[in-house]
Amino acid sequence: MPPKKMKAKAEPPAISPERMKELEGTKGASRDSLRSQLLFQSWAIDKSPGSKRVIIPQAGKGTKRKISLPRGSKEYDTVEVRVGDELNAVVYKYYQERMSQAIRDEALKKDQIRRGRVDKADGSEMDGWVNGGGYGINYVAGETGIIEKKNEYLGPAPMVSGYRYLHSAEHEIQVLWYDGFLQDRWCEADSWDIELEISVGVKGDADWTVAQT
């Protein structure tokens, strides 16, 4: 018995020049609106996320991925994840980890150096909490010495807005951060914004959607 023929996927209707012109005129407003929606859905890193982002398979790639998790504004750690892992849970668990006493002491000293209360041993810049990277500011405990979790080094009010997938051998996934207090969108040492693309429905209705988050 011959195999059944697969039905060809229906192509969406083409966008008329008039509609394309309308879309171009609304791109800025659409970007602002979609960005606001994304930021509204961001979740605070010190609270358990209420949504899930599962890593899906990609053509031409294996099951392993790498995600970069910042220690502060300059340094980051690279953590291996796999297809099927839930990214929000991985990130939340990582930043809930408590600090050792040695790291607590060093971070306190770093705070005091920044405030001019301790002479700096050398001229090197320090950021983050892991070997060689130095120790950054704790935005929650300050200089009290009650330094607990990794998320306290990310800013006054760090939130996760989404993820960016890169074609990089070092790390393929970056976290898109938003600080609710500073109103700042950041990703490692850079700022970020959403990318838009035009989505066309089967009936020909076209509008802007988020292409990468």
Side-chain angles (χ1 to χ4, degrees):
M1 185 175 181
K4 294 181 179 179
K5 292 183 179 181
M6 299 294 292
K7 291 183 179 180
K9 187 177 179 181
E11 293 293 331
I15 306 173
S16 67
E18 294 79 10
R19 180 53 180 156
M20 181 62 73
K21 185 175 181 180
E22 291 177 1
L23 287 170
E24 289 298 333
T26 62
K27 187 173 184 178
S30 296
R31 184 190 300 277
D32 291 342
S33 176
L34 290 169
R35 185 196 301 117
S36 295
Q37 292 177 33
L38 181 65
L39 296 181
F40 180 76
Q41 296 168 4
S42 302
W43 54 277
I45 192 63
D46 62 337
K47 296 179 174 61
S48 180
S51 59
K52 294 183 178 181
R53 289 288 296 269
V54 177
I55 303 175
I56 61 175
Q58 291 176 285
K61 288 194 172 185
T63 60
K64 295 181 180 180
R65 304 286 186 274
K66 292 181 180 180
I67 182 171
S68 58
L69 299 175
R71 307 169 192 163
S73 61
K74 298 177 183 177
E75 303 292 333
Y76 60 87
D77 290 330
T78 301
V79 176
E80 186 176 285
V81 290
R82 293 176 178 271
V83 169
D85 286 350
E86 204 279 283
L87 280 176
N88 286 348
V90 171
V91 174
Y92 174 72
K93 181 180 178 181
Y94 178 84
Y95 285 105
Q96 286 297 301
E97 291 178 2
R98 296 183 180 274
M99 316 297 284
S100 69
Q101 186 60 52
I103 289 177
R104 291 157 72 111
D105 292 342
E106 190 65 26
L108 174 58
K109 181 180 179 182
K110 176 61 175 181
D111 270 354
Q112 292 172 333
I113 289 173
R114 286 186 182 272
R115 297 165 193 267
R117 299 181 185 179
V118 174
D119 291 333
K120 205 167 184 179
D122 54 43
S124 62
E125 274 300 315
M126 295 185 291
D127 185 76
W129 58 73
V130 181
N131 307 327
Y135 304 88
I137 298 174
N138 185 297
Y139 289 88
V140 177
E143 56 180 328
T144 63
I146 309 175
I147 297 172
E148 293 292 340
K149 299 176 181 178
K150 292 179 178 179
N151 64 58
E152 297 177 12
Y153 290 85
L154 297 177
M159 307 173 77
V160 176
S161 295
Y163 302 92
R164 174 176 292 164
Y165 291 79
L166 306 175
H167 301 287
S168 166
E170 185 176 1
H171 49 264
E172 298 173 341
I173 305 173
Q174 291 180 335
V175 182
L176 301 181
W177 297 94
Y178 173 64
D179 194 294
F181 179 79
L182 299 175
Q183 303 288 295
D184 181 35
R185 304 186 307 273
W186 63 280
C187 182
E188 294 187 16
D190 300 316
S191 60
W192 64 268
D193 203 353
I194 59 174
E195 299 294 333
L196 300 186
E197 65 182 6
I198 296 175
S199 175
V200 183
V202 293
K203 296 182 179 180
D205 48 324
D207 208 346
W208 292 107
T209 58
V210 177
Q212 178 176 314
T213 61

